[in-house]
Amino acid sequence: MQAEWLALGGLAVSAFTSATILPGNSELVLAAFLYKWPGWLWPALLLATVANSAGSATSLWLGRVAPKKEVSPRIQRWFQRYGPAVLLLSWVPLLGDALPLAAGWLRLPWLPSLLWLTVGKAVRYLILAWGVLAALHA
């Protein structure tokens, strides 16, 4: 039982850092965790989603408190057109790390931003978990 808890801690750290400018690969860590402990699906999904969302929330906050900076016109147009819903894409590699920062700089509303980015991250992890478990049962 101890190994599962340590692995969940590693998953949390990986998921958090993966959502910041720090390097990390939470998808690989989640896939390895589910390969080893498929019965821990829901705790692993919940933890990965919460930790990854917390990492993006940190970036969102940093964008709000950082000195005002220019956001690329393309990203600015996305936010003007779709609002916080753009944060559904915050799971996309590279682009996703910049979106919460941009949302913070643009002072988008906190709660809708957090909700949209959490939904995007949860869906990404659900799809990944489904693929891992499907491969295990094939």
Side-chain angles (χ1 to χ4, degrees), residues 53 56-57 59-61 64 79 82-90 99-121:
S53 298
S56 285
S59 296
L60 183 66
W61 175 78
R64 284 183 174 268
F79 279 115
Y82 301 108
V86 169
L87 293 169
L88 274 172
L89 300 175
S90 64
L99 288 177
L101 282 170
W105 282 321
L106 294 171
R107 307 298 191 260
L108 274 106
W110 180 258
L111 187 58
S113 296
L114 192 57
L115 289 173
W116 282 110
L117 69 86
T118 301
V119 167
K121 289 165 183 299

Side-chain angles (χ1 to χ4, degrees), residues 10-56:
L11 173 61
V13 170
S14 177
F16 182 87
T17 59
S18 293
T20 65
I21 60 170
L22 299 172
N25 193 334
S26 61
E27 295 86 0
L28 183 60
V29 176
L30 178 62
F33 182 90
L34 291 175
Y35 179 79
K36 177 79 173 157
W37 296 289
W40 286 65
L41 169 68
W42 295 110
L45 283 176
L46 180 64
L47 183 65
T49 299
V50 168
N52 201 247
S53 298
S56 285

Side-chain angles (χ1 to χ4, degrees), residues 46 50 52 76 78 81 91 115 121 123 128 130 133 138:
L46 180 64
V50 168
N52 201 247
Q76 203 163 11
W78 283 2
R81 185 169 182 183
W91 63 269
L115 289 173
K121 289 165 183 299
V123 169
L128 173 71
W130 176 79
L133 294 178

